[in-house]
């Protein structure tokens, strides 16, 4: 039984923070940010929360797929920045949508989360446990960023992206044809966020600064350019395809230079790697479905094309998914 994406949706907070705004906050320049990352601006949630953005992205994905919330059987939200510990973001999204018959839960695999959620939904549907799912990547990373650290605060933006997936009918060639994912917990220290004080920990180990995101940027960079091509090649093997058989690569939008390096390693023309990093920055688990939504709505992805999704994130986690659109 096949599983295919039938609708996409995205949602961004209203407020835009430009590189020039950041120049006034930390010791950085528009030129440094553009040259080192490809970013010009990003959206920052002020009143928008993870469930709010996720629900809006889901409504658009449902509309795009021609489905109603009552028909949804599974909702998975990939997030590491939802504003409440309990209930999970997916249950709050279920409530906001009125998707009363859905199973709903969250997955935290950081920026790699959307691919982990998609893989999980694929297994639910392929096993016959349900027929369709809403998969959302949603983050308000601005909540956990150290706004005095120029090495991280210029990189991230907030937003949500969603896809509606369902089982395909016999004879339909569209759908997922190869998947690969993995985790490198041994490398957890290169990108982490403690988030809250836990029992037995007191000052000076814990203070507000070390509750926020800490990143060894160049180590994350090296990890990504080494691991993502390996992961993509595994998904290609499963799909029995070569790298150049893929029409469009939709990669996690962490850094323009990372994407260029991956294209070079795979020996694929950079033209096949569309980007929206300039406008939205790194939106973590939302980045792949947000870009996918832009491409779908603008007609840049069309039926029958072969699409590769791939990304990586804190954990470290990484994943890839090949599909026929
Ligand atoms: O979703 C996953 C999350 N994270 C990532 O994907 C991040 C992956 N890493 C990266 O994208 C890059 O490593 C960064 C964009 C974070 C940094 O770029 P880089 O080319 O690796 O720079 P670097 O960390 O080696 O730093 C080079 C210099 C340093 O100054 P010195 O020591 O050479 O004097 C930094 O202090 O650039 C400095 N620097 C900045 N300068 C101006 C670091 N951040 C900034 C900044 N503005 N915002």
């Amino acid at each position: 039984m096949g599983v295919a994406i039938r609708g996409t949706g995205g949602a961004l907070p209203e407020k835009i923070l430009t590189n020039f705004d950041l120049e006034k906050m930390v010791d950085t320049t528009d030129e440094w940010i553009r040259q080192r990352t490809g970013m010009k601006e990003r959206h920052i949630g002020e009143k928008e929360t993870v469930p709010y953005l996720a629900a809006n992205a889901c409504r658009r994905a449902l509309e795009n797929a021609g489905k109603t919330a009552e028909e949804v059987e599974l909702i998975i939200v990939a997030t590491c920045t939802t504003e409440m510990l309990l209930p999970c973001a997916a249950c709050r999204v279920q409530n906001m949508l009125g998707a009363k018959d859905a199973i709903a839960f969250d997955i935290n695999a950081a920026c790699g989360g959307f691919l982990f959620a998609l893989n999980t939904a694929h297994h639910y549907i392929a096993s016959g446990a349900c027929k369709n799912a809403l998969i959302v990547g949603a983050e308000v990373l601005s909540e956990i960023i150290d706004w005095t650290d120029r090495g991280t605060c210029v990189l991230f933006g907030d937003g949500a992206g969603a896809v509606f997936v369902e089982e395909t009918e016999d004879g339909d060639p569209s759908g997922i044809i190869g998947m690969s994912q993995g985790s490198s917990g041994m490398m957890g220290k290169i990108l982490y966020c403690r988030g809250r004080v836990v029992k037995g920990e007191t000052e000076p180990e814990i203070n507000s600064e070390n509750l926020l995101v800490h990143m060894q940027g160049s180590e994350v960079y090296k990890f990504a350019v080494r691991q993502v091509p390996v992961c993509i090649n595994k998904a290609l093997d499963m799909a029995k395809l070569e790298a150049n058989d893929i029409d469009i690569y939709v990669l996690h939008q962490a850094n323009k230079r990372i994407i260029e390096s991956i294209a070079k390693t795979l020996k694929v023309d950079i033209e096949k790697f569309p980007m929206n990093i300039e406008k939205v920055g790194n939106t973590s688990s939302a980045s792949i479905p947000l870009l996918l939504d832009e491409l779908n709505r603008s007609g840049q992805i069309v039926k029958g094309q072969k699409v590769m999704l791939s990304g990586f994130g804190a954990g470290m986690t990484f994943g890839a998914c090949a599909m026929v659109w």
Side-chain angles (χ1 to χ4, degrees), residues 72-130:
V72 177
E73 297 183 22
L74 174 67
I75 301 171
I76 310 180
V77 178
T79 186
C80 56
T81 54
T82 191
E83 86 291 21
M84 286 175 76
L85 281 180
L86 303 170
C88 68
C91 285
R92 302 192 61 216
V93 170
Q94 174 186 28
N95 185 34
M96 288 172 178
L97 297 178
K100 60 181 179 38
D101 291 329
I103 303 161
F105 58 89
D106 292 359
I107 280 183
N108 175 1
C111 306
F114 175 77
L115 290 160
F116 280 53
L118 183 61
N119 199 346
T120 305
H122 178 254
H123 288 300
Y124 262 81
I125 296 171
S127 72
C130 63

Side-chain angles (χ1 to χ4, degrees), residues 232-250:
I232 287 176
N233 277 322
K234 281 191 184 163
L236 286 169
D237 282 350
M238 193 190 237
K240 298 188 175 58
L241 294 175
E242 300 290 327
N244 273 298
D245 295 334
I246 297 290
D247 297 297
I248 300 182
Y249 283 83
V250 182

Side-chain angles (χ1 to χ4, degrees), residues 23-320:
E23 283 184 353
K24 296 180 200 129
M25 296 161 64
V26 286
D27 182 14
T28 193
T29 60
D30 168 59
E31 193 190 1
W32 190 96
I33 304 171
R34 273 190 292 109
Q35 283 184 357
R36 299 288 181 118
T37 71
M39 299 169 190
K40 278 189 181 167
E41 57 190 42
R42 66 288 291 144
H43 291 248
I44 300 291
E46 290 189 302
K47 51 188 186 309
E48 299 93 344
T49 63
V50 162
Y52 172 85
L53 291 168
N56 278 346
C58 283
R59 286 188 189 100
R60 290 172 192 147
L62 284 173
E63 196 184 359
N64 188 236
K67 298 287 174 178
T68 64
E70 291 74 31
E71 293 173 84
V72 177
E73 297 183 22
L74 174 67
I75 301 171
I76 310 180
V77 178
T79 186
C80 56
T81 54
T82 191
E83 86 291 21
M84 286 175 76
L85 281 180
L86 303 170
C88 68
C91 285
R92 302 192 61 216
V93 170
Q94 174 186 28
N95 185 34
M96 288 172 178
L97 297 178
K100 60 181 179 38
D101 291 329
I103 303 161
F105 58 89
D106 292 359
I107 280 183
N108 175 1
C111 306
F114 175 77
L115 290 160
F116 280 53
L118 183 61
N119 199 346
T120 305
H122 178 254
H123 288 300
Y124 262 81
I125 296 171
S127 72
C130 63
K131 290 187 167 47
N132 67 50
L134 272 171
I135 311 301
V136 201
E139 304 287 2
V140 180
L141 242 103
S142 56
E143 291 272 2
I144 58 167
I145 292 301
D146 180 352
W147 288 101
T148 65
D149 174 15
R150 68 177 182 175
T152 52
C153 76
V154 303
L155 302 176
F156 297 100
D158 302 332
V163 298
F164 178 84
V165 295
E166 71 180 351
E167 71 177 18
T168 55
E169 313 236 311
D170 284 348
D172 182 346
S174 70
I176 291 168
I177 48 176
M179 288 196 113
S180 162
Q181 63 182 144
S183 306
S184 297
M186 298 70 72
M187 299 195 68
K189 65 177 186 311
I190 67 174
L191 178 50
Y192 68 90
C193 172
R194 304 189 66 130
R196 66 194 174 100
V197 177
V198 293
K199 229 186 275 176
E201 288 185 304
T202 49
E203 298 275 1
E205 296 99 29
I206 295 293
N207 54 47
S208 59
E209 187 195 321
N210 69 25
L211 291 177
L212 301 171
V213 169
H214 282 260
M215 182 175 75
Q216 294 172 33
S218 57
E219 291 305 312
V220 176
Y221 190 105
K222 282 187 252 168
F223 175 86
V225 299
R226 186 179 65 243
Q227 193 60 58
V228 172
V230 174
C231 190
I232 287 176
N233 277 322
K234 281 191 184 163
L236 286 169
D237 282 350
M238 193 190 237
K240 298 188 175 58
L241 294 175
E242 300 290 327
N244 273 298
D245 295 334
I246 297 290
D247 297 297
I248 300 182
Y249 283 83
V250 182
L251 298 197
H252 172 42
Q253 303 286 294
N255 186 321
K256 186 171 183 264
R257 289 186 297 137
I258 293 179
I259 296 171
E260 287 167 350
S261 167
I262 293 167
K264 208 169 159 198
T265 304
L266 293 170
K267 298 190 176 64
V268 174
D269 192 330
I270 190 68
E271 291 297 313
K272 287 189 173 185
F273 293 72
M275 298 183 215
N276 64 356
I277 196 164
E278 201 178 273
K279 291 271 173 205
V280 297
N282 178 348
T283 57
S284 185
S285 65
S287 86
I288 292 172
L290 260 176
L291 178 56
L292 202 54
D293 182 48
E294 263 187 56
L295 299 168
N296 180 32
R297 282 171 196 268
S298 60
Q300 287 177 80
I301 297 185
V302 294
K303 212 166 169 47
Q305 278 186 321
K306 296 187 187 73
V307 182
M308 175 69 79
L309 316 182
S310 185
F312 64 95
M316 299 299 287
T317 63
F318 46 92

